Amino acid sequence: MRTEVLVIGGGPAGLMAAIYLARFRRRVAIVDSGASRAALIPRSHNLPGFPNGLPGSELLARMQRQVEELRVPMIRSAVTALEAGNGEIIASRDGEPIMARRVILATGIVDKQTPLADWALAVRDGELRYCPVCDGFEATGRKIAIIGPIGHAAGKALFMRVYSSDVTLIPIGDEQNDGKRRELDAAGVRVTPALQALRRDNGALAATFADGSTERFEIVYPAMGADVRSELAIKLGARHTSDGFLKVDAKQRCGVEGLYGIGDVVTDLHQIAVAFGHAAVAACHAHHSLPMRYAEPSASRM
């Protein structure tokens, strides 16, 4: 298979890039393994034009219909390797190569989970949430816990103090971090003993601590970090941070000729609106970097 632009990842960023490119009349294809982080969003409230919010699954379904109407092939598979050569990037999937002049990587991240067995159900019911920027406003006045290593979780706990006076940080491990503890204490954020267990409890989440005590919280935000799906680009020589996020320039290029990074895989604010912006910038640059394909003269004119 040969295409002008290959988009790897069918979340909001990848779908937006494909929509732009198809409307530029480019030959574009999407390879997607069906694991978009956006599908887990119960309802996104900061998408313009949707004052009552929109479930992530519905956003994806709407965008997928749009790319189908534009006749963009969506291949349900996983790319296992990228190789550059002769002005093209070759993507391997299921043992079959796809040759592309440009590749846009929109593979996203995978959140590291708390020790909650049925976490997906807790996410569905709004008890477990990942993005305070997205839905902190909806948590106003609630009893909130942030779970994670103190050094990583403190920023999220302080951010949530904007919305509630009852914010608790539940540490993972025995990190002391006296500086962060003083900052949290000054902001009115309580720090508990380390987390031992977490379970669902009648519309709330119950945390058991290392000292054996238990407490219920209406909403829990994990701050455990994430695994970045950037291996394909890094093995090709892409610029990246120590955490694996791609480092891109103003055109979303990551240091490999013809390769772009967009969405959550990039070290940037992880928001759907930002992913859309990344996609528009990368798609426009990819289009203008390729030879133009001018329309043929019409058979008849009025």
Side-chain angles (χ1 to χ4, degrees), residues 81 87 96 104 120 128 135 137 147 153 158 173 184 223 228 237 242 250 269 301:
E96 298 181 11
I104 297 178
L128 193 68
D135 53 31
F137 184 82
I147 295 178
L158 294 170
L184 292 163
V228 189
S242 58
L269 184 63
R301 296 178 182 273

Side-chain angles (χ1 to χ4, degrees), residues 207-228:
T208 300
F209 308 123
D211 63 1
S213 62
T214 298
E215 188 171 351
R216 296 172 78 252
F217 298 91
E218 293 178 271
I219 296 172
V220 169
Y221 283 92
M224 311 283 292
D227 293 319
V228 189

Side-chain angles (χ1 to χ4, degrees), residues 7 9-20 22-23 30 32 36 38-39 41 47 50 54-74 76 106 262 272-273 275-277 279-280:
V7 178
L15 291 168
M16 180 64 89
I19 288 168
Y20 266 70
R23 290 175 56 81
I30 303 170
D32 178 51
S36 172
I41 301 172
L47 279 175
F50 295 94
L54 184 72
S57 57
E58 185 175 341
L59 173 65
L60 292 173
R62 289 179 181 220
M63 296 185 73
Q64 287 165 4
R65 288 196 298 271
Q66 199 167 348
V67 298
E68 288 169 6
E69 290 170 1
L70 290 165
R71 299 183 179 179
V72 175
M74 180 173 279
R76 295 296 185 183
I262 63 174
I272 291 172
F276 284 168

Side-chain angles (χ1 to χ4, degrees), residues 15 18 26 29-30 64 82 94 119 129 163 201 215 227 243 283:
L15 291 168
R26 289 294 180 184
I30 303 170
Q64 287 165 4
L82 293 176
D94 297 333
W119 64 268
R129 305 183 183 184
Y163 300 104
D201 183 17
E215 188 171 351
D227 293 319
D243 293 325

Side-chain angles (χ1 to χ4, degrees), residues 19-26 280 283-285 287-288 293:
I19 288 168
Y20 266 70
L21 288 159
R23 290 175 56 81
F24 292 147
R25 304 184 69 191
R26 289 294 180 184
C284 288
H285 188 273
H287 170 61
H288 288 293
R293 299 174 60 240

